[in-house]
Amino acid sequence: MKPISFIAAASIALLASTSFSLAEECNAAGTVGTAGSASAGDTSASSVGTAGACRTDGGTTSSIGSGGSAATVDGKAQSKTHVNDNGDKLKAQTKAQAVDQGTFSKSRTKTSTDGDTLQSTTRTMSHVPGEKPVKSTTNQKIILPEQ
């Protein structure tokens, strides 16, 4: 037997003897997500968060993501994202802020999964000195249904 034929035969035998599991179908699944943007003067800030979960007979799997950005012409801009994984709980928080001589824009998104509960909240605010601040809040929460 030629060496190449032997390697091919061994590979086929190995694949035939290897067990693999198929993906399970979700018994219950859900996603949440919120986002927001704020702008005032020469500043802007945006943030977004999303989470998903799939419950199968083998348990619940979750995913989470978050991000943001901030910009200004002459001032200071910063954006921070933190994700925490604590067993079956996932938490993410993004803060974005831009400041230019008292004018500012900021956006914050908090997203979490806790077993069968998914939640995301985004708060934005912009302000120009001498004017009333502009605020907005977006909230989304779902609980996966019981079987």
Side-chain angles (χ1 to χ4, degrees):
M1 184 180 261
K2 294 181 182 177
I4 294 178
S5 298
F6 176 74
I7 293 171
S11 297
I12 291 171
L14 178 63
L15 286 174
S17 67
T18 303
S19 66
F20 59 92
S21 62
L22 298 174
E24 292 184 59
E25 202 167 302
C26 296
N27 297 330
T31 58
V32 295
T34 59
S37 295
S39 65
D42 290 334
T43 67
S44 67
S46 301
S47 63
V48 62
T50 183
C54 169
R55 184 175 48 226
T56 65
D57 294 336
T60 301
T61 57
S62 301
S63 64
I64 198 163
S66 190
S69 65
T72 181
V73 174
D74 293 319
K76 180 181 176 185
Q78 67 178 3
S79 175
K80 297 186 237 179
T81 298
H82 178 74
V83 177
N84 187 22
D85 177 6
N86 186 10
D88 66 342
K89 297 178 184 180
L90 297 173
K91 291 184 179 184
Q93 178 172 280
T94 294
K95 292 180 182 181
Q97 179 173 316
V99 180
D100 184 7
Q101 296 183 10
T103 298
F104 69 87
S105 301
K106 61 183 179 178
S107 182
R108 181 189 75 193
T109 299
K110 290 183 175 184
T111 306
S112 64
T113 68
D114 185 0
D116 293 337
T117 303
L118 305 170
Q119 185 168 359
S120 186
T121 302
T122 298
R123 297 180 189 275
T124 63
M125 182 175 163
S126 59
H127 179 65
V128 175
E131 297 180 14
K132 185 177 177 181
V134 177
K135 299 178 182 182
S136 173
T137 300
T138 305
N139 188 30
Q140 189 176 33
K141 178 179 181 178
I142 65 166
I143 299 172
L144 297 181
E146 293 296 322
Q147 294 299 318

